[in-house]
Amino acid sequence: MKPFHTFQFHRVLLFAAALVFAVQSHAETDSLPSWNDGPAKQAIVDFVKATTAQDSPQFVPEAERIATFDQDGTLWVSHPIYAQVMYCLDRVPTAVKAKPELAKVEPFKTVLSGDHEKIEKLSMDDLLKIVAATLTGMSIEDFQTEVKAWLETAKDPRWKRPYTELTYQPMQEVLKYLRDNNYKTYIVTGGGQDFVRVYSEATYGIPPEQVVGSALETKYEYESGKPFLIKEPKLLLNDNNAGKPEGIHLMIGRRPHAAFGNSTGDRQMLEYTKAGEGARLSMLVLHDDANREYAYGPAQGLPATKVGTFTQDLYDEAMKQGWTIISMKNDWKQIFAFESK
Amino acid sequence: MKPFHTFQFHRVLLFAAALVFAVQSHAETDSLPSWNDGPAKQAIVDFVKATTAQDSPQFVPEAERIATFDQDGTLWVSHPIYAQVMYCLDRVPTAVKAKPELAKVEPFKTVLSGDHEKIEKLSMDDLLKIVAATLTGMSIEDFQTEVKAWLETAKDPRWKRPYTELTYQPMQEVLKYLRDNNYKTYIVTGGGQDFVRVYSEATYGIPPEQVVGSALETKYEYESGKPFLIKEPKLLLNDNNAGKPEGIHLMIGRRPHAAFGNSTGDRQMLEYTKAGEGARLSMLVLHDDANREYAYGPAQGLPATKVGTFTQDLYDEAMKQGWTIISMKNDWKQIFAFESK
C-alpha cells in the first residue's frame, strides 16, 4: 500500500469533517421529516428554537420544559370509536360470565346483541355502566394483564392492524423532537390513565408516571395477608375540559410550555398553556383528510361526531387566541409509520 | 524551565491516573459519609448494588427504579410541630384581616391569643378549619408566592434557622446516592403537595412533578378573561396511611423499589413496597436522639406525640416484615449539614 502523504491525509480529514457537518445539518433540518413545510411545522421549530437557544430572550430552563399531548385523535386514531371503548365492549361477555344477571339488563343486552347501529347510539350513562362493569373490581395487576392481552390481538376494523400501530408518525416525530430538546413529554388524556399507561412507554416512549388521565379510585386491600390495590367504580379525576388544567396541576405542578389537542375537551388545556408567560405553543389537529384518515367536525362543514369534536367555536377560538391548526391533509406528508413512502 | 523527560512525563501521567482512581474508589465507598457503618447503611448499599449491577439476579431496569420518601420526620425535622402547621398558624392574622368575623370564633380566637399551650391542644378538626381559611380561596401562584416569602423569614424556634436548613444530611446523601444510580426519587408526604412543591427542588433536588402529597381540589376559573387555578377548601387526596400507596399508584403508576418513612402514616407505603418482587428496601427513621434532635414515641418507652408517631406496633411490624430501622443516634454520624464535623 502506498503511504499516505500528510497533505492528502489532511484533505481526507477535512472531507470527513465536512461530511459529519453535512449529516448533522441534515439531521437538524429533518427532525420532522413527515411534515410538509408550512405554518404548522414552522410554529413547532420556531417554538423549540425560541425556548432552547441559550441566547434567546424566551429561553426556558430545562427543568421547566413541559409539553402535554392529548391522546385520542391527537396522537392516534380515535374515529369512529375510542380504542378504550372497544376494549370495554369486548370485555362485556367476560363481565356477564362473572355476573350472569347482567345479560338481561341494558346496556349489556344491547352490547351482547352485536347490533352495531344500536351500540353506536349508547348514551354516556350507558357507557359509564359498561366501564364500571368491565374496568373495576379487579387488582391493578390483573387489569394491566388483561389490557395487554387485548392490545396484542385486537385490530382496528379499517386498517386491520393493532391500535398501537395507528399512531400518527408526524406526532411521534414531535414527541421525539421535543424530548431531544430536553422537554418532558406528557400524555394528558380524557381516557383512562391506567389503560393508557399499559402501552404508553412502548408506543410513545412516555413512561407511566408521565401519563395524566381520567382515573377511578383505587382501594388498598389485602388477600391472604398480601396487600394490593383494587380498582373501584368511583371516578376520582375526570381529565376533560377544565379537568385537564386541574389534572396537570395535580400531577405535574407546572404549566406546560406546549400543548397539543384535537377537540373541545382540550380547549382549556390549550388556553391554560397559552396564557403562561414567554413562548407558548398551543396546537390543534384538524381531521380533514377523508382519504388517508378521516374528515369530521363542523369546522369543515361536516356533522359533529361523538368523539374528537372539532366545532366551529373551537376553530374560531383557535384563531382568536393564536393557536396553530395542524391540517392532516396539508401538513402531514405521511400519516402512519407503516405507509410506504 | 527544565524540559520534562518523556519517562518523567509518563510517571506523572501514571501518578495522576492513580490519583483519579483513588479519588473514585474513595467516592464509591463514601456515598454515605454521614452514616456510621452498621446494618442500616449496609442495607442501603446492598440494595443499590443488588438492583443496579448488570449481572445481579435482582437487577432492576432504569425505568423502574422508583424510590419514595416521606418528608416530615423522614427528610427533615417535624417535631414538635410540622412546618406547614406553623405556616398556617402564622397566616391566621392575614386571614382574619380579610374576614374580620373569624376573630370572634374558634379556633381562630385561640390562635390569635398566642397561648402556646392551648394552640398545641387544637384538635384535627380545628386544624382543618385553619387549613381551609389559610390555604384556599387564592390562586396557585399567589399561594406559591406567600409560601416562598414565609420560608425566607420563618425560623425553627430551637435551631433558629430556616426550616429548609433542617433537613437530615444522611437522608440527603441517600437521595443523591439513589439518583446517582438512576433512581427517580419522589417525596410522598401526608403534608400538602402544593406546599412541599414550593421548596422541594431547591431543598432536595426533587422537582414538583415528583412530589406526591395530600391535595385540595383546584378549580379552573377566569379573571378579566385570563384563566387561573384557584385552591378550593375540599380535600381531593389524603396522602396518609392507605392513601400513600393509592397516591403512589395515581401519580407514579409503579410500585417503588425503596421507601423511607418514620411513622404509622407510612406503614402501608413500606408494606406495599416490600410486597413487590425482587429486592425491595423499606426503612423507618427512629427518633431516638434526644441530644442532637429529639427522642419520642412508644417504641422507646416515651409518650406518643401528635406528629410522627412511631408506635410499638410499628416497631414490631418492622421486625416481622424485614424493614430496616434507622437509629438517628447510632446510624447517623452527623444530622444537619450546618453542624461542624
Side-chain angles (χ1 to χ4, degrees), chain B residues 280-341:
Chain B
R280 307 273 168 166
L281 182 67
S282 288
M283 300 191 89
L284 270 171
V285 176
L286 178 66
H287 292 260
D288 59 356
D289 195 327
N291 288 329
R292 296 187 300 169
E293 204 240 13
Y294 294 105
Y296 53 84
Q300 37 190 320
L302 294 167
T305 65
K306 256 193 193 172
V307 300
T309 305
F310 196 122
T311 60
Q312 189 60 44
D313 267 9
L314 185 67
Y315 187 90
D316 295 344
E317 177 145 9
M319 293 298 109
K320 206 176 102 191
Q321 307 266 5
W323 308 343
T324 308
I325 306 286
I326 298 167
S327 156
M328 294 184 79
K329 195 171 158 187
N330 302 320
D331 290 315
W332 290 357
K333 209 176 281 180
Q334 181 184 352
I335 296 195
F336 302 111
F338 56 77
E339 281 171 29
S340 58
K341 288 178 210 186

Side-chain angles (χ1 to χ4, degrees), chain B residues 102-111 122 126 129:
Chain B
L102 291 179
K104 292 167 210 150
V105 295
E106 290 298 353
F108 304 97
K109 234 167 105 178
T110 296
V111 176
L122 288 174
D126 287 334
K129 277 179 202 162

Side-chain angles (χ1 to χ4, degrees), chain A residues 87-103:
Chain A
Y87 172 75
C88 291
L89 296 176
D90 283 355
R91 271 207 90 249
V92 165
T94 314
V96 168
K97 214 170 161 186
K99 275 193 191 172
E101 65 272 23
L102 292 180

Side-chain angles (χ1 to χ4, degrees), chain B residues 107 118-130 306:
Chain B
K118 277 191 186 165
I119 291 171
E120 277 183 32
K121 280 180 190 146
L122 288 174
S123 70
M124 194 46 83
D125 264 7
D126 287 334
L127 286 178
L128 285 177
K129 277 179 202 162
I130 294 168
K306 256 193 193 172

Side-chain angles (χ1 to χ4, degrees), chain A residues 63 140-141 184 186 193-194 197 201 207-210 215 218-220 222 226-227 229 236-237 242 245-246 249-255 267-268 271-272 275, chain B residues 63 140-141 184 186 193-194 197 201 207-210 215 218-220 222 226-227 229 236-237 242 245-246 249-255 267-268 271-272 275:
Chain A
I140 292 291
E141 285 80 5
K184 257 192 186 173
Y186 282 80
Q193 184 174 284
D194 280 343
R197 280 174 168 175
E201 193 147 31
E209 61 269 29
Q210 284 165 226
T218 60
K219 211 175 149 199
Y220 190 71
Y222 298 88
K226 227 179 132 84
L229 290 167
L236 178 64
L237 302 177
E246 289 160 12
H249 176 69
L250 179 72
M251 307 277 289
I252 311 176
R254 308 192 202 247
R255 193 194 295 253
R267 197 176 70 78
Q268 287 87 342
E271 182 182 65
Y272 179 63
Chain B
I140 292 291
E141 285 79 6
K184 257 191 185 173
Y186 282 81
Q193 183 174 285
D194 280 342
R197 279 174 169 176
E201 194 148 33
E209 60 268 30
Q210 285 165 225
T218 59
K219 210 174 150 200
Y220 191 71
Y222 298 87
K226 226 178 133 83
L229 291 166
L236 177 65
L237 302 176
E246 289 160 12
H249 175 68
L250 178 72
M251 306 276 290
I252 312 177
R254 309 193 202 246
R255 193 194 295 255
R267 198 176 69 79
Q268 287 87 341
E271 181 182 66
Y272 178 64

